[in-house]
Amino acid sequence: MKNSVQILGNFKLFFIEIGELSYFAKRFFIEVFSTPFEFKELLRQCYNMANKSLVLVGVTGFILGLVFTLQSRPTLAQFGAVSWMPSMVSISIVREIGPVIIALICTGKISSGIGAELGSMRVTEQIDAMEVSGTNPFKYLVVTRILAATLMLPLLIIFGDVIALFGSALVENLKGSVSFLLYFNKVFDAIKFSDIIPATVKSFFFGFAIGLVGCFKGFYCKKGTVGVGEASNSAVVYTSMLLFIIDFIAVFISDIFFEI
């Protein structure tokens, strides 16, 4: 009986938090179209997010291309289908593996950073001081960060995909004596707009989810240093779960749309 009550209580808290997050998103869409527009802060956040994540995304993409090709090559070799390697790797990375893996990497870097930063500002009462001084902290802190994450994540994913394909081409060049020119010719022959467009569109939603959850957890952080850690940790957990939900919906819709 006690366990049942505890489970029901957890479900209640979960749905309450979903409602608060929805209201937070509604407030974002209201504030984003109202004046004043914080362009300087937006550009600063875009630069910080992209600059600090570039190396991590590049290394992740390169290793992703290497490992995926090394693991797939023996299986294709058994069926005499090694020539299909560039097509299979490029379609897999561009459609699904690249956007999801890189979004998860950026979740750990960007969403947790936003949660910790805003959580620290809430704990040290900097957000309260902004409200008292007449500044809109939601506009300055939240809107700029969500927009920056939404705009920068697609660029990071494209960069990671390119590096991943280069890593795959390097393996094929060393193990299969395939030139880089031939490899990328096969890649561009295999990739279609029906592969690129859905992946690009859902990457914007990935960025929005990363910024939204990170800002939500940090902006409403509980008092104390423990609350900052919880905000950072829960931002990563909630965002990761939300990314998989968005990915499922995006794949489902794109399959219906392009099948028609």
Side-chain angles (χ1 to χ4, degrees), residues 88-104:
M88 186 198 72
V89 171
S90 60
I91 292 174
S92 300
I93 289 177
V94 170
R95 273 189 178 183
E96 191 65 24
I97 298 177
V100 173
I101 296 298
I102 293 171
L104 289 173

Side-chain angles (χ1 to χ4, degrees), residues 67-117:
V67 173
F68 188 50
T69 306
L70 287 172
Q71 292 290 335
S72 303
R73 203 171 196 283
T75 303
L76 292 179
Q78 291 179 358
F79 296 95
V82 179
S83 60
W84 287 92
M85 179 65 71
S87 303
M88 186 198 72
V89 171
S90 60
I91 292 174
S92 300
I93 289 177
V94 170
R95 273 189 178 183
E96 191 65 24
I97 298 177
V100 173
I101 296 298
I102 293 171
L104 289 173
I105 292 297
C106 291
T107 296
K109 180 69 175 178
I110 297 174
S111 188
S112 62
I114 292 174
E117 183 182 10

